[in-house]
Amino acid sequence: MTTPTSTPVMPQQSMSETVADQRLARNRFDLEALLAKGDHHFARGDHRGAAGFYAFAAKSFDPAVSPEALRAAQMRDWLADRFRDHIVSGLEQAGFSREDWPPRFRAALQIMFGERERDLVSGPFPQLPRLFFYPDLPYVDFADVTQFPWRKELESRYREMRDEAAALLADTADFSPYVQRSKDYPQGDVYGLVENPQWSSLYLWESGQTVQENAARCPRTFEALNDLVPQCEIGGKFPVVLFSLLQPGAHIPPHNGMLNIQYICHLPLIVPPGCSFRVGERTVEWREGEMLAFDDTVEHEARNDSGQDRLILLFYIWNPHLSDDEKLIVRRMLEIVHNYR
């Protein structure tokens, strides 16, 4: 582990953050604006946000030919060392000494820190998590849901959950676009999903907290999830439970999720004919009341080729191939990451 050197001396900032935001809205590859955003985040102590802008700038431009890109790369590397030190020291303070780390967890951190490469994989649709890769977990596209003993009881309550969901739609509940615009990290709109209401959501749990107003409108659904499902719990991040609405004609393009230490579960509530879901090489049609579970770090996409709304209940559970000890240390590590500034 490399301990970060003294805090870098920042140049005097000549571009306001407002101007940087305006320029990035026109061109997300504006190097000067990317550096300005990184510098503003760094100046107010938001090292996580700063790292995203510096890293994007360093990846998008050649540090060998651009002084600005070189500075971005230097800041990226300094912040990476600081981030690594924050995680390792945080784990040790929480009682997880390096000598006792489970082997797969140790390898996962080494991959995240860039200290080793993940093993080569074959096949057209490997696990490609965008945030954290946990090695040596069995490859899964759609999971075998019969391994979850609570699944049948959950499905048996499907009709009352469907009725609550239908009432939300009829009452024009406050569904919001699933992909929200943010100025806190570099954000392109490659798929046209940012602020697109065709794929929208309404949360019962968000970032680990109950959304009381929505839970009160869906008491049966909230009770079923709370009583039956062993949800993934990570302080500040999970549980996450939401109604996912796909409007007629909508298509969620192929993409990969963040973490392969969990599965996403779908309980289809309102599914007209013509709605399909692909994970890897397998495509299925949702069936009302029949739960699906899948690894979302495998490329997946969804379609609603009908003329009606499609609505599912979406929630997260732990990947069952993690041991209890691994879940404990992964949860603590991700909480440390969440609290990083």
Side-chain angles (χ1 to χ4, degrees):
M1 181 180 67
T2 302
T3 301
T5 57
S6 58
T7 304
V9 177
M10 304 300 295
Q12 184 173 356
Q13 186 54 252
S14 59
M15 185 187 302
S16 72
E17 191 164 12
T18 299
V19 170
D21 286 332
Q22 292 170 346
R23 288 174 55 162
L24 288 173
R26 294 192 295 269
N27 175 17
R28 68 190 184 105
F29 294 102
D30 184 323
L31 178 56
E32 187 179 2
L34 286 168
L35 276 174
K37 283 290 291 185
D39 291 346
H40 281 292
H41 278 271
F42 190 90
R44 60 174 173 264
D46 177 13
H47 296 97
R48 181 204 295 270
F53 287 99
Y54 292 134
F56 187 79
K59 180 179 71 173
S60 302
F61 298 89
D62 186 354
V65 299
S66 167
E68 293 84 2
L70 176 61
R71 185 169 79 83
Q74 291 169 339
M75 291 299 297
R76 174 202 61 196
D77 294 344
W78 187 90
L79 287 165
D81 286 343
R82 183 182 184 275
F83 178 64
R84 177 175 53 192
D85 183 67
H86 172 81
I87 291 176
V88 173
S89 61
L91 285 169
E92 291 180 336
Q93 291 169 17
F96 299 100
S97 64
R98 275 175 280 192
E99 295 75 17
D100 299 329
W101 290 353
R104 291 193 298 190
F105 177 76
R106 182 184 303 277
L109 282 194
Q110 290 172 337
I111 293 168
M112 184 170 71
F113 296 151
E115 297 172 353
R116 63 176 283 181
E117 297 291 332
R118 60 178 288 186
D119 294 338
L120 292 175
V121 293
S122 59
F125 297 108
Q127 296 171 319
L128 293 175
R130 292 184 286 131
L131 181 63
F132 180 63
F133 173 70
Y134 205 87
D136 299 326
L137 294 176
Y139 181 86
V140 170
D141 42 26
F142 289 100
D144 177 7
V145 296
T146 63
Q147 67 186 301
F148 306 125
W150 43 267
R151 185 259 313 179
K152 282 193 173 181
E153 176 63 22
L154 182 71
E155 290 179 341
S156 74
R157 305 190 192 185
Y158 136 74
R159 287 181 174 79
E160 57 191 22
M161 289 189 276
R162 179 194 59 190
D163 291 345
E164 290 182 339
L168 288 175
L169 290 177
D171 195 30
T172 62
D174 188 19
F175 282 78
S176 301
Y178 183 78
V179 183
Q180 300 284 328
R181 189 175 305 280
S182 173
K183 296 180 180 180
D184 292 332
Y185 54 87
Q187 185 180 36
D189 192 9
V190 178
Y191 302 123
L193 294 177
V194 175
E195 302 294 346
N196 187 337
Q198 284 196 304
W199 181 21
S200 56
S201 57
L202 185 141
Y203 286 83
L204 300 184
W205 278 268
E206 186 173 16
S207 300
Q209 301 294 319
T210 303
V211 183
Q212 296 291 349
E213 178 183 356
N214 295 337
R217 299 177 71 178
C218 308
R220 299 292 190 184
T221 305
F222 184 85
E223 179 184 43
L225 268 292
N226 200 45
D227 291 351
L228 299 175
V229 179
Q231 298 185 60
C232 184
E233 295 187 9
I234 298 170
K237 297 294 291 182
F238 295 93
V240 170
V241 178
L242 59 126
F243 292 109
S244 174
L245 174 65
L246 205 57
Q247 293 183 351
H251 173 216
I252 302 174
H255 63 287
N256 299 76
M258 296 288 187
L259 309 161
N260 68 330
I261 49 87
Q262 60 193 11
Y263 288 164
I264 290 182
C265 297
H266 287 178
L267 183 63
L269 300 178
I270 300 173
V271 184
C275 295
S276 62
F277 184 52
R278 178 183 67 83
V279 179
E281 296 183 292
R282 298 174 60 194
T283 300
V284 302
E285 291 190 357
W286 291 281
R287 296 182 182 276
E288 292 186 359
E290 296 182 12
M291 192 186 88
L292 298 176
F294 64 100
D295 178 353
D296 79 319
T297 69
V298 176
E299 184 186 275
H300 56 286
E301 64 179 315
R303 293 182 178 276
N304 180 359
D305 292 327
S306 78
Q308 303 171 46
D309 289 331
R310 181 236 62 179
L311 190 71
I312 62 171
L313 182 67
L314 184 154
F315 54 95
Y316 294 77
I317 60 174
W318 286 103
N319 187 315
H321 299 288
L322 291 172
S323 70
D324 289 341
D325 287 344
E326 287 176 314
K327 291 176 189 175
L328 188 63
I329 194 170
V330 166
R331 178 170 60 191
R332 185 62 189 131
M333 185 275 293
L334 291 173
E335 289 169 349
I336 292 168
V337 170
H338 175 72
N339 293 325
Y340 174 71
R341 296 295 181 266

